[in-house]
Amino acid sequence: GEDVEQSLFLSVREGDSSVINCTYTDSSSTYLYWYKQEPGAGLQLLTYIFSNMDMKQDQRLTVLLNKKDKHLSLRIADTQTGDSAIYFCADGNDYKLSFGAGTTVTVRA
Amino acid sequence: DAGITQSPRHKVTETGTPVTLRCHQTENHRYMYWYRQDPGHGLRLIHYSYGVKDTDKGEVSDGYSVSRSKTEDFLLTLESATSSQTSVYFCAISHDGGYTFGSGTRLTVV
């Protein structure tokens, strides 16, 4: 929805790092999420961060949260062709999720 | 997907007909959701349920109704399908701070 915004496209070379950015407006969000969607498939939870954390690392994924600026980012290290997908940022509050429009990541050789 | 199934997976229907989509879970979770996914909009919440017979509207509820007569099933009904309801519909459950999504139903209204 309009409460969560993210850029629509990102092109990255294989082996480089990808950074996907997201801004949100709801200051009472409890959790913030990153989901991945491959073509024709459902949504796969990649990672999430609790709102009182600044950073979370999980293997190649690093999530940074700037709560003051309501800015969330997802960094994918050593991007591979299998990382090509749509990535959705979502904020969770009141037992509901609000999604951004999704960032289509294209990995080129 | 973690005990959540949607049916049908694909459906083509005519304008003006009623359509019901089914979401079934096997894990007894309290909260269930229906979203629709459209290009450029991400996923938008249609309706959700917080228990048997307890439902509430999301941001795009017009033209849709839901029912939850038992914990495991959450039904989404398009009362009179329109072309603007052509979309991919996802059901989800929430659990311990996370959400799991079904595989989706691709609905085409012609």
Side-chain angles (χ1 to χ4, degrees):
Chain A
E2 287 79 15
D3 296 333
V4 181
E5 293 190 357
Q6 46 184 132
S7 54
L8 294 182
F9 301 99
L10 175 67
S11 178
V12 62
R13 187 159 26 189
E14 188 175 9
D16 288 351
S17 292
S18 308
V19 179
I20 307 167
N21 294 299
C22 170
T23 58
Y24 61 98
T25 59
D26 189 350
S27 57
S28 61
S29 296
T30 308
Y31 290 95
L32 293 124
Y33 300 84
W34 285 104
Y35 282 86
K36 176 183 180 183
Q37 185 181 38
E38 297 181 13
L43 276 75
Q44 171 197 353
L45 177 64
L46 277 182
T47 186
Y48 64 94
I49 188 167
F50 191 51
S51 58
N52 67 355
M53 296 171 63
D54 298 324
M55 185 182 86
K56 180 178 179 181
Q57 187 148 5
D58 183 2
Q59 299 182 336
R60 291 191 298 123
L61 305 178
T62 302
V63 178
L64 295 178
L65 175 60
N66 181 328
K67 198 170 180 180
K68 173 176 169 289
D69 294 339
K70 298 189 181 68
H71 182 267
L72 182 74
S73 68
L74 174 70
R75 177 176 179 268
I76 305 172
D78 186 25
T79 309
Q80 303 297 308
T81 54
D83 294 324
S84 291
I86 303 176
Y87 291 80
F88 291 96
C89 167
D91 79 75
N93 189 35
D94 291 336
Y95 301 101
K96 291 177 284 184
L97 279 182
S98 295
F99 285 85
T103 300
T104 299
V105 173
T106 303
V107 181
R108 59 188 194 277
Chain B
D1 274 285
I4 180 170
T5 56
Q6 293 184 229
S7 58
R9 291 295 311 276
H10 302 271
K11 186 168 181 66
V12 179
T13 192
E14 292 185 349
T15 300
T17 60
V19 177
T20 295
L21 309 182
R22 180 179 182 243
C23 178
H24 179 79
Q25 61 148 328
T26 59
E27 298 178 357
N28 212 33
H29 294 293
R30 182 179 168 199
Y31 282 82
M32 299 183 75
Y33 307 82
W34 276 107
Y35 286 86
R36 60 177 288 174
Q37 182 180 18
D38 304 288
H41 290 279
L43 277 79
R44 293 178 292 174
L45 182 65
I46 305 171
H47 283 279
Y48 69 101
S49 169
Y50 47 96
V52 173
K53 292 187 171 39
D54 292 323
T55 65
D56 205 350
K57 296 179 180 180
E59 61 179 307
V60 290
S61 59
D62 287 348
Y64 301 96
S65 62
V66 288
S67 66
R68 190 153 178 216
S69 59
K70 45 186 178 175
T71 301
E72 57 265 37
D73 288 326
F74 191 32
L75 304 180
L76 176 71
T77 297
L78 288 66
E79 292 134 12
S80 177
T82 67
S83 58
S84 65
Q85 294 176 310
T86 291
S87 187
V88 181
Y89 292 84
F90 286 99
C91 176
I93 55 175
S94 72
H95 49 91
D96 298 332
Y99 294 76
T100 299
F101 286 81
S103 299
T105 295
R106 183 172 296 276
L107 177 68
T108 303
V109 183
V110 298

